[in-house]
Amino acid sequence: MALGKSIKMYLTIFVATTCIYMVLYQYHISRQPLPSPDITKPPLYVITPTYRRPEQLAELTRLGYTLKHVINLLWLVIEDAHNTSDIVENTLNRIGVPYEYYLAPMPDEYRKSKKAKPRGVSNRNRALLWLRENATDGVFYFADDDNTYDINIFEQMRYTKKVSMWPVGLVTKLGVSSPIVKGGSIEGFYDGWIGGRKYPVDMAGFAVSVKFLHERPQAKMPYKPGYEEDGFLKSLAPLDNADIQLLANNCSEILTWHTQTKSNHPAESLNMTKYGGTNLVDLDKQLVKVQIFQRLSIESYYAKVNVYQIFPFK
């Protein structure tokens, strides 16, 4: 009996001692700073041109919450406007993705032209200037706010050494824009409109190393509608097809889509006599109004004006 009691006592002491040790060990571990996952991966700079329109906040919100799942990312939001927008800034703050917000209005010579407008060029060139002044490594990517993105593509592009490319879905009647790959090499490009372009690719289908950009100080996007991507990639010369990394499982998967949100008519003015003092007043401040369309009447707006003819780019 005495032996049994001794064994039981020793087992109790052993279990108690083990429990105390585990508690102390867990406390010690909890006090150690966790390694930040951000410092283990190259930074990503996502460049998004935007402009004031009914869908703007919805599209920035959708894209922003996608980017929120990507670590070590800075969102460069560049608006085609002469004044910053509190609504845009509040939206970016609410989403919580680290960002820089700048203005880059389209030059008047292009805005006033009756020809097709080079949409988003001033915005993207402003972002390139920021990268040259503030970034030394990492990768940048032009992500329009009306596209749809699988977050896997961001992790893949992060390790771009020079230029990387991949397919983009829902582009032209062909349904996809992509490098043509055979035996692991680029043999050409598949796109609904070639137009004499050396690089007939979609804006959402390539990423570039920041260091590679620094090595080409003259690289920029041209004010040439339809040739923005081609002109920019050619400005990165020398750039051989062999230098281009093929992502999305050797360009066999679609991880980005050129979805384009349906355009909506600007809102009519709120009847303050009827709705003053209600929540509609606050909601009304977040809407794009008919009055901004060059003071056109509602009737003439719906009858004559296409939203894409008024705003600089989509």
Side-chain angles (χ1 to χ4, degrees), residues 172-219:
T172 74
K173 63 182 180 180
L174 296 181
V176 67
S177 174
S178 174
I180 301 172
V181 181
K182 187 174 182 180
S185 300
I186 296 179
E187 290 200 341
F189 294 91
Y190 185 78
D191 192 273
W193 177 67
I194 301 300
R197 295 181 293 168
K198 179 179 180 180
Y199 300 104
V201 298
D202 188 81
M203 193 71 71
F206 66 91
V208 181
S209 160
V210 171
K211 290 182 178 180
F212 194 62
L213 176 71
H214 279 301
E215 294 169 357
R216 286 142 177 81
Q218 302 305 315

Side-chain angles (χ1 to χ4, degrees), residues 61-101:
T61 298
R62 178 179 58 190
L63 174 56
Y65 280 104
T66 296
L67 299 180
K68 198 165 185 177
H69 292 279
V70 185
I71 66 170
N72 203 12
L73 177 146
L74 182 65
W75 194 11
L76 301 177
V77 179
I78 319 294
E79 186 166 23
D80 184 346
H82 291 281
N83 299 293
T84 57
S85 166
D86 290 340
I87 297 177
V88 169
E89 196 156 11
N90 290 339
T91 298
L92 298 176
N93 287 330
R94 183 176 67 249
I95 294 170
V97 173
Y99 74 90
E100 295 285 346
Y101 173 38

Side-chain angles (χ1 to χ4, degrees), residues 20 22-23 50 73 83 91 95 106-107 119 128 135 155-157 178 203 205 210 223 229 237-238 270 273 288 298 306:
I20 293 172
M22 293 301 297
V23 169
T50 189
L73 177 146
N83 299 293
T91 298
I95 294 170
M106 179 186 293
R119 300 171 177 131
L128 294 178
E155 291 307 318
Q156 292 184 34
M157 73 172 73
S178 174
M203 193 71 71
V210 171
Y223 285 94
E229 300 95 333
L270 183 67
T273 301
V288 171
I298 295 175
N306 183 315

